[in-house]
Amino acid sequence: MKYSLRLISAYIDGRIERDELLEYLELLGLNPAVTSVVDDDVIFELETPANRGDLLSLTGVAREILPFTPYHLQMPDSTFHETLSDKMPVRVKDRKDCFYYSCRIMKNLDNTSEHPLWLKEGIEKLGYRSSFNVVDISNYVMAETGQPLHIFDLDKTEGGIEIRRAKRGERIVTIDGKKRELDEGIMVIADSKKVVAIAGIMGGENSEVTAGTRNVLIESAVFNPVVVRRGSRKLGLVTEASTRFERGVDITTSKTGMLRTTCLINKICKGNAGPLTEEGGIDERKDNIAFDIESINKLTGINVKADFIKKVLGKLNFEVKKKNSIFIVKPPVYREDIKENVDIIEEIVKYKKYSSVPSEIPSTSIKPTSSSKEIESLERVKDIAVKLGFIEVINMGLTSRENAYIPGQINPIAIENPLSANLGFLRTSLIPEMLETARFNIGHEVKRFDIFELGKVYYREKNSFGEEYRIGFVSVNSGDFLTFKGRVEKFCEKIGLKNVTSETRPDVFSEDENLDIFLAGVKIGHIFISSEHIKTLYELKKENVYACEIFLDRVMNRLFLGDTSFQELPRYPSSKRDFSFILPEKVTWKEIEGLILSLDMPIEKIDFFDLYRGAGIPRDRVSISFSVVFRSLSRTLQKEEVSEFSEKIVNAVCLKLKGELRGKSATNI
């Protein structure tokens, strides 16, 4: 909406200069933007808050700046005489859609007489295109009071007026010449035979005022903002009227708009007015809000006098009573933004000017709050993932039907009122959303990365809902699978999960290359190479994608048990020996490692470093190489002892695992 200094000044009983007005509007946070200067007038636009529909009017802005001035609001003339008895029957089908509806018949209009100069100039300054007299009057009154009005050609309506939802299949050609398809989600104004307007948004061609219009029906109503907003979005049709209805219009303003419109049509178009037809209740009065002067001083650090409070709130049309140091305030019904005493205090400080509030940092003591053991453990888990080279990602937890059903054998939880079709379910696994993240990064030319996410997944449990913490890892084009698996194993070790095992089992994410992870016989996760189907689904077909998901809730009581502590550096040297065996292909590294550790020897660690299949190795066998570090905590090991330990390892592997030593029995390092 556009505003004019001269038009706003018409509602104030005193003179305000241009620079004064713009300064006041800046102080109020409305950020005026001057669009043009005409003679001694200035035209500007404002940034009005979404909860301040009252500022979409000339009188509303005039009232807002009054506390800065010694002046008062003067409302325009709204007097007229009823000279007709004709009334229009009205039926509101649902009071939740239309809180209040009023209309009045006016007859014998001169709709083509010359516009008064003030009306024509006012319409043009406000940014409207001048039309017939009654149309210009309705637009001017809307800008003046904030109440949207609509004028119907009475002779084009048939029977009474009904406010209802549209029927599926109904259509209307609106006054912009476009055909609109309607449905049950859109509220309409209809006569006995047809739809004549989309309620709160735009009228129809079939009841439009023309040069030949002599008899009209004036409409002033209060429609449900939610219904108007939904209808406007569905039709892709935003108008001056819908913008105001969406922000909220009150019944008092609706009645004021009707009176003012009738008055102007009576004076300018010489129309005869009939009695008002009304349907609906009265405005719900605002609750009283109490506060004292001390609360203002304590909250803002400035001293405010009682007289100043009365002056400011009185000029803003608040009802104010004072009892001792307590103020009892009732806001006007159009101030939807006033809910509690801090809102009142903000109004007062706004006119005291924010610059008067001291810019001091309050002194207070901040006491750390203790965190739960579970949260502390989860934070440590994330720290370890970061230290292992993974970057944390955070997804919403809301996902699409396709993603929610991918894990299978889980009954997803649907959202009752989803933000969109792609966010209609709670996730059942971290992996699908992480693959979406991978797709996004690949699409933005980030070709190599390792990510992790710690969060909850959700599922149904008989008659209730279940949720659990999980951590997921995804590696894209970052090394081979064995490297990724090793990092996951190191992660498990660092968070206190000792002796985890794995078994190859088919899975929805990878039918052939999936390893289920177990701890003490309980499945705690899985690690896999993404299948071609999954990679195609997420547009990652050309990438090497490895992933893992660990069910943290199943191991929460085991996290960080027996945390490592600092210990004295070894006093005695170690001895290292390398071994290379040809073994049956079915033998696992866990079996080899377990066998060696079961031998009664001072072994510090065992490191796997090579696996080989190919030339020189039988088809059903594999070459595995590893090193063993020996160290005694009480003395230096002798060369003969280390050789004896090495021979013991060779004998055990050859005998129990059907292994065959390659080359020499051991190599000194």
Side-chain angles (χ1 to χ4, degrees):
M1 174 180 173
K2 291 186 176 181
Y3 303 82
S4 154
L5 168 61
R6 185 181 291 178
L7 294 179
I8 290 173
S9 298
Y11 309 104
I12 299 174
D13 62 354
R15 180 178 176 82
I16 296 179
E17 300 297 332
R18 166 190 167 179
D19 292 342
E20 285 182 306
L21 175 68
L22 296 178
E23 179 189 0
Y24 297 153
L25 296 173
E26 287 283 0
L27 290 171
L28 293 169
L30 298 177
N31 301 325
V34 175
T35 59
S36 62
V37 177
V38 181
D39 298 329
D40 61 342
D41 197 7
V42 57
I43 314 300
F44 57 92
E45 295 177 348
L46 298 177
E47 294 179 11
T48 56
N51 59 358
R52 292 297 306 274
D54 59 299
L55 294 181
L56 294 177
S57 66
L58 299 171
T59 52
V61 173
R63 185 190 297 113
E64 194 75 359
I65 64 175
L66 285 178
F68 289 119
T69 74
Y71 310 129
H72 297 84
L73 190 70
Q74 55 182 21
M75 294 300 290
D77 180 29
S78 295
T79 59
F80 65 93
H81 296 288
E82 293 178 8
T83 55
L84 299 175
S85 59
D86 305 51
K87 291 188 71 173
M88 174 65 72
V90 172
R91 176 174 178 255
V92 177
K93 196 163 185 180
D94 189 342
R95 292 282 174 85
K96 293 179 181 178
D97 285 350
C98 178
F99 306 140
Y100 173 77
Y101 190 90
S102 67
C103 61
R104 171 178 276 121
I105 290 173
M106 294 193 75
K107 290 187 173 181
N108 306 315
L109 277 64
D110 180 359
N111 195 31
T112 57
S113 61
E114 187 176 351
H115 285 53
L117 185 60
W118 65 266
L119 178 60
K120 184 176 181 180
E121 287 183 351
I123 285 293
E124 290 173 351
K125 287 179 180 179
L126 293 168
Y128 300 119
R129 181 173 56 86
S130 183
S131 180
F132 305 112
N133 280 334
V134 292
V135 175
D136 284 357
I137 289 170
S138 68
N139 284 333
Y140 188 84
V141 173
M142 177 174 68
E144 183 180 63
T145 65
Q147 173 63 41
L149 300 116
H150 189 69
I151 312 289
F152 299 97
D153 188 320
L154 181 65
D155 298 325
K156 295 177 183 177
T157 60
E158 304 175 75
I161 290 294
E162 183 178 41
I163 299 87
R164 59 172 172 81
R165 294 294 183 99
K167 300 171 185 175
R168 185 166 293 278
E170 281 189 309
R171 299 177 178 83
I172 184 174
V173 177
T174 45
I175 58 176
D176 59 359
K178 295 182 179 179
K179 183 182 288 187
R180 312 280 180 179
E181 298 285 339
L182 308 176
D183 60 32
E184 296 90 337
I186 299 171
M187 183 168 38
V188 299
I189 312 297
D191 62 18
S192 60
K193 293 186 178 180
K194 62 186 178 297
V195 173
V196 294
I198 303 170
I201 302 175
M202 186 176 283
E205 275 190 350
N206 55 14
S207 60
E208 184 180 11
V209 170
T210 64
T213 298
R214 294 293 175 266
N215 306 309
V216 298
L217 179 70
I218 308 170
E219 169 193 279
S220 183
V222 179
F223 299 117
N224 187 321
V226 175
V227 178
V228 174
R229 184 182 303 115
R230 287 176 179 170
S232 174
R233 300 300 180 270
K234 185 174 288 187
L235 294 169
L237 183 59
V238 179
T239 62
E240 290 276 352
S242 69
T243 299
R244 287 170 170 79
F245 280 121
E246 286 178 25
R247 297 193 180 195
V249 174
D250 63 279
I251 296 173
T252 301
T253 301
S254 180
K255 292 181 177 182
T256 300
M258 172 62 80
L259 290 172
R260 178 65 169 155
T261 303
T262 308
C263 169
L264 290 178
I265 293 177
N266 175 249
K267 290 182 177 179
I268 296 172
C269 304
K270 311 302 180 185
N272 299 317
L276 187 67
T277 302
E278 294 180 283
E279 281 291 317
I282 59 174
D283 274 319
E284 291 187 11
R285 301 301 297 167
K286 287 275 200 177
D287 293 333
N288 287 331
I289 298 174
F291 67 94
D292 58 21
I293 295 180
E294 187 60 32
S295 66
I296 300 178
N297 298 337
K298 187 179 294 185
L299 192 63
T300 65
I302 58 176
N303 293 315
V304 181
K305 303 297 184 184
D307 290 344
F308 181 81
I309 295 173
K310 287 182 179 179
K311 170 197 164 188
V312 167
L313 297 182
K315 288 194 173 185
L316 292 175
N317 202 24
F318 287 64
E319 295 178 19
V320 184
K321 295 179 181 178
K322 186 174 181 292
K323 186 175 182 181
N324 298 324
S325 64
I326 304 298
F327 283 88
I328 309 296
V329 177
K330 186 187 290 293
V333 290
Y334 51 78
R335 288 302 300 269
E336 288 295 322
D337 58 312
I338 305 297
K339 307 288 185 185
E340 49 189 328
N341 60 2
V342 290
D343 298 323
I344 302 285
I345 293 172
E346 183 181 10
E347 289 296 298
I348 295 166
V349 175
K350 190 162 63 176
Y351 292 99
K352 191 71 175 174
K353 298 183 182 179
Y354 289 123
S355 59
S356 66
V357 178
S359 55
E360 297 178 1
I361 299 176
S363 60
T364 183
S365 59
I366 301 175
K367 297 180 180 179
T369 57
S370 58
S371 181
S372 69
K373 184 177 179 181
E374 179 184 88
I375 296 301
E376 286 182 352
S377 294
L378 294 176
E379 288 299 322
R380 290 182 65 187
V381 165
K382 290 199 288 185
D383 288 344
I384 290 169
V386 170
K387 289 174 182 176
L388 286 169
F390 292 90
I391 299 171
E392 184 178 12
V393 297
I394 300 174
N395 289 300
M396 290 181 63
L398 300 176
T399 191
S400 65
R401 170 184 287 273
E402 293 76 17
N403 282 349
Y405 276 93
I406 279 179
Q409 300 178 346
I410 295 178
N411 191 4
I413 301 170
I415 304 298
E416 287 189 358
N417 297 299
L419 298 172
S420 71
N422 290 329
L423 300 172
F425 289 81
L426 294 177
R427 64 186 174 191
T428 53
S429 168
L430 301 178
I431 301 300
E433 280 190 294
M434 294 185 73
L435 293 177
E436 295 274 13
T437 302
R439 170 167 58 187
F440 177 86
N441 280 277
I442 290 293
H444 287 75
E445 298 300 319
V446 182
K447 298 299 185 182
R448 181 179 181 275
F449 51 87
D450 299 295
I451 57 175
F452 82 94
E453 179 172 12
L454 193 156
K456 286 188 174 182
V457 300
Y458 308 87
Y459 49 87
R460 292 184 183 274
E461 281 184 328
K462 295 182 180 179
N463 298 324
S464 64
F465 302 114
E467 59 182 50
E468 68 176 23
Y469 277 110
R470 294 186 183 180
I471 186 168
F473 298 92
V474 170
S475 177
V476 178
N477 301 327
S478 183
D480 57 23
F481 179 66
L482 289 177
T483 301
F484 176 70
K485 180 173 176 288
R487 293 167 75 189
V488 171
E489 289 173 346
K490 180 60 71 175
F491 168 79
C492 291
E493 177 187 324
K494 290 292 186 181
I495 66 174
L497 305 182
K498 309 293 185 182
N499 302 319
V500 296
T501 60
S502 59
E503 294 181 15
T504 303
R505 295 184 178 182
D507 184 82
V508 66
F509 293 108
S510 182
E511 294 85 351
D512 302 319
E513 302 292 342
N514 178 74
L515 294 174
D516 281 353
I517 304 171
F518 292 88
L519 181 66
V522 177
K523 180 180 176 180
I524 64 167
H526 57 143
I527 180 171
F528 55 87
I529 302 173
S530 294
S531 68
E532 291 302 313
H533 169 70
I534 290 294
K535 290 201 293 183
T536 301
L537 193 63
Y538 291 95
E539 300 175 14
L540 300 169
K541 194 167 184 179
K542 296 180 180 179
E543 321 305 328
N544 293 320
V545 182
Y546 314 128
C548 171
E549 189 170 29
I550 295 175
F551 313 148
L552 290 177
D553 266 13
R554 303 183 190 182
V555 295
M556 195 67 74
N557 61 344
R558 293 174 176 263
L559 295 181
F560 304 108
L561 288 180
D563 273 355
T564 56
S565 58
F566 292 107
Q567 59 185 8
E568 184 181 3
L569 290 172
R571 293 188 178 187
Y572 302 100
S574 65
S575 294
K576 180 181 177 184
R577 297 293 184 268
D578 292 343
F579 299 86
S580 184
F581 289 95
I582 298 175
L583 292 155
E585 197 168 30
K586 64 180 181 180
V587 174
T588 66
W589 171 248
K590 286 291 182 184
E591 291 178 279
I592 300 170
E593 186 179 43
L595 174 61
I596 296 171
L597 290 174
S598 69
L599 303 175
D600 186 18
M601 295 182 295
I603 295 175
E604 185 174 79
K605 65 177 178 177
I606 305 172
D607 289 325
F608 167 88
F609 64 80
D610 186 53
L611 182 146
Y612 173 71
R613 295 183 182 90
I617 305 297
R619 288 185 60 186
D620 58 346
R621 298 176 77 80
V622 63
S623 171
I624 294 179
S625 301
F626 56 89
S627 61
V628 179
V629 177
F630 303 96
R631 191 195 303 269
S632 171
L633 300 179
S634 59
R635 60 187 177 83
T636 301
L637 294 174
Q638 300 301 311
K639 181 178 180 180
E640 293 77 14
E641 291 179 288
V642 175
S643 296
E644 184 182 334
F645 297 150
S646 300
E647 187 175 348
K648 198 172 181 180
I649 291 172
V650 171
N651 292 336
V653 172
C654 291
L655 179 64
K656 296 187 177 182
L657 299 179
K658 311 300 182 187
E660 177 186 348
L661 187 65
R662 294 185 67 188
K664 296 181 180 180
S665 62
T667 303
N668 261 337
I669 299 296

